[in-house]
Amino acid sequence: MSTPSSLASGPEGPDALRPLLDTVLDALSEGARARGGPLPSGGPDAVAARVRAAIGDVLPQTGDPNALHDVVRALAEAAADPSDPFCAAHLHCPPLALATAADLAASALNPSLDSWDQAPGASELEGLVTGALAAEVFGAAASRAAPPRHAPSALITTGGTESNQLALLLAREAHGTGVRLVHGANAHHSLPRAAWLLGLPEPIVVPAPAGTLDPAALDAAMTQLPGPRGSFVVAATAGTTDAGLIDPLPEIAALCAAHGARLHVDAAYGGALLFSDMYRDRLTGLDAADSVTLDLHKLGWQPVAAGLLAVRNPRDLTVLHHRADYLNAEDDTEAGLPDLLGRSLRTSRRPDVLKIAVTLKALGRTGLGRLVDQVCDRARAFAALVHDHPGFELYALPTISTVLFRPAHADDDAVAAVRRRLLTDGRAVLGRARIEGRLWLKATHLNPHTRPDDLAALLKLVEGNTPG
Ligand SMILES: Cc1ncc(COP(=O)(O)O)c(C=O)c1O
């Protein structure tokens, strides 16, 4: 029996949840059927009007017994569905059913990772999983060689933006407020924004002429402004947002060593290549970084949020230590209660680690690696279709799973128009990227179940909607 005020946790929680889950699952399938494609049709005004009509009064005087069904159904009908093979715009992955089910358990148990007495098991799980993932990033051998207190470590974050912010905060605390961010023109916008937020000097932007940071220009930038060790924090990217390219990490790491610069690698997208025997080599040099951003809600099939910041030297994290008597009183920590506050800048914090832990254990490295290989294969197959089609131009063979392409002979306005037309009709969700002054359509393949026929149909759809 479930009433609107039944609780999800406790011995009766599962009984209260069970019928509600049926309602949710029915509403999800009804909404998806009503949508009938990757995106609701009609464009922003029409979609907003349908959502408003379906929701009605958001705070009625008396409660609506159908609220769960109706609101979930309305949202599902108006959703962008990343599991649709024609939904391939962003680093917005279709979540695994397994991870989503684990996330339900996270909500039901509702541990909050700001103090041990709210999350006794979740805090231990977080320590285990972050340690294992940091070992994956920096090399298991390095982790085993270090005494546990000195082994690489990782923090769970809300995603790449928070991880990049934390990475620059750690750099500032290690090297002072004068530390200057040097990043490629291809870097994610969250990096210069974090420099602004943290009051760091104006970043130096290094050209990325072929989509990846140019080591010679990086060397020149650091040579022209010489300073003591720690004057710079260089941010490289492993998996650029626009093209999925990987900066030359070994050369960049060598330059950082020569100039005494700190190295952060934003591997929000590409980090999961570590799980693949076939693609891991592309991340050679990653283990030389001081910090690495990794996002399992991109290439990792987790519901948002599932971010990580891995650090080679766990002592870097001591600057996050913070005392709040009600959460980590000194006598409590001296008496052995674990202190969780230093693992984040947030206070209340969801156990995002639970879905990650379940996924890692259920799929293993091999299962995850296979999913990575599948999406990379799909991208290569799509690129081959584009390449062989006289009506299209391919930007480059994909490094990970992003393919940039454009209708041959179309100008930028036509490229932008075809994307918007498909969005408005709700028939396909493709991204856009401006590279070397030209606008490209972007297909980010993150669905391992997309079939070859789907790829051909997507290209045909774009062809059929290209003006002229
Ligand atoms: C390379 C890169 N870094 C960081 C981010 C930011 O990640 P999030 O949206 O999870 O904050 C993105 C987002 O696409 C990205 O592509």
Side-chain angles (χ1 to χ4, degrees):
M1 176 61 185
S2 189
T3 70
S5 56
S6 298
L7 301 179
S9 62
E12 273 95 55
D15 291 335
L17 272 175
R18 211 177 300 276
L20 300 180
L21 287 184
D22 281 340
T23 304
V24 166
L25 298 179
D26 287 346
L28 287 176
S29 38
E30 283 168 32
R33 266 200 308 277
R35 178 179 4 94
L39 203 72
S41 62
D45 291 343
V47 173
R50 289 203 296 271
V51 170
R52 281 200 301 269
I55 303 294
D57 188 353
V58 292
L59 182 57
Q61 193 56 38
T62 21
D64 176 352
N66 297 321
L68 181 63
H69 173 272
D70 293 353
V71 177
V72 172
R73 187 192 184 286
L75 207 66
E77 185 177 347
D81 179 3
S83 74
D84 189 297
F86 289 7
C87 188
H90 300 287
L91 289 161
H92 171 212
C93 70
L96 295 174
L98 180 84
T100 309
D103 219 16
L104 171 71
S107 290
L109 293 168
N110 204 28
S112 182
L113 282 136
D114 44 332
S115 65
W116 183 85
D117 53 2
Q118 299 176 85
S123 55
E124 182 61 19
L125 184 65
E126 190 174 87
L128 288 171
V129 170
T130 51
L133 287 173
E136 204 66 20
V137 170
F138 292 105
S143 295
R144 272 197 303 274
R149 271 184 317 116
H150 297 150
S153 184
L155 302 176
I156 301 266
T157 69
T158 50
T161 301
E162 186 187 347
S163 299
N164 287 341
Q165 276 171 9
L166 279 169
L168 293 198
L169 174 67
L170 299 185
R172 187 189 77 181
E173 294 307 292
H175 300 295
T177 51
V179 68
R180 191 144 193 186
L181 170 65
V182 186
H183 67 78
N186 58 353
H188 191 255
H189 66 87
S190 58
L191 281 156
R193 204 173 195 204
W196 163 77
L197 179 73
L198 293 164
L200 301 183
E202 189 66 22
I204 299 172
V205 183
V206 172
T212 54
L213 190 152
D214 175 10
L218 175 64
D219 191 19
M222 291 196 284
T223 307
Q224 273 158 23
L225 278 173
R229 277 190 81 73
S231 299
F232 301 109
V233 51
V234 173
T237 310
T240 58
T241 314
D242 278 347
L245 299 172
I246 299 175
D247 284 342
L249 301 178
E251 285 101 312
I252 293 171
L255 286 170
C256 287
H259 288 274
R262 191 179 169 95
L263 174 59
H264 171 65
V265 179
D266 178 355
Y269 176 17
L273 297 184
L274 285 169
F275 299 121
S276 159
D277 290 342
M278 195 137 52
Y279 291 97
R280 188 180 307 121
D281 281 359
R282 301 199 173 180
L283 296 179
T284 300
L286 184 71
D287 57 353
D290 294 287
S291 56
V292 174
T293 287
L294 195 75
D295 251 4
L296 296 176
H297 61 229
K298 297 189 172 29
L299 198 56
W301 301 283
Q302 300 299 297
V304 177
L308 286 122
L309 177 72
V311 292
R312 188 149 46 91
N313 184 347
R315 274 167 301 192
D316 283 354
L317 299 179
T318 53
V319 299
L320 299 178
H321 171 73
H322 184 68
R323 186 72 70 192
D325 206 58
Y326 76 109
L327 294 171
N328 61 352
E330 207 161 343
D331 53 318
D332 274 351
T333 47
E334 272 164 17
L337 289 183
D339 174 357
L340 311 188
L341 263 195
R343 290 192 191 171
S344 179
L345 290 180
R346 289 176 280 156
T347 306
S348 296
R349 196 155 64 78
R350 267 176 70 75
D352 287 321
V353 69
L354 176 52
K355 62 198 170 198
I356 299 175
V358 168
T359 304
L360 297 179
K361 193 162 175 62
L363 276 81
R365 195 180 282 108
T366 311
L368 273 166
R370 196 175 302 127
L371 293 182
V372 170
D373 295 349
Q374 275 167 242
V375 295
C376 293
D377 284 357
R378 295 304 175 271
R380 291 219 293 239
F382 188 67
L385 288 176
V386 171
H387 178 266
D388 295 345
H389 194 306
F392 287 101
E393 188 181 342
L394 176 69
Y395 174 68
L397 290 176
T399 301
I400 307 179
S401 67
T402 302
V403 179
L404 298 182
F405 66 111
R406 49 183 279 156
H409 316 301
D411 62 12
D412 284 358
D413 288 345
V415 172
V418 67
R419 186 184 96 92
R420 280 195 294 269
R421 179 179 302 172
L422 293 171
L423 285 182
T424 306
D425 293 349
R427 285 189 293 160
V429 194
L430 289 169
R432 52 182 280 163
R434 184 166 293 283
I435 306 230
E436 291 153 24
R438 296 175 79 206
L439 193 65
W440 298 82
L441 294 172
K442 175 170 81 163
T444 312
H445 296 279
L446 293 179
N447 184 345
H449 304 303
T450 293
R451 295 161 311 164
D453 288 359
D454 298 321
L455 300 173
L458 177 58
L459 200 58
K460 207 168 164 45
L461 185 65
V462 178
E463 186 184 13
N465 282 274
T466 301

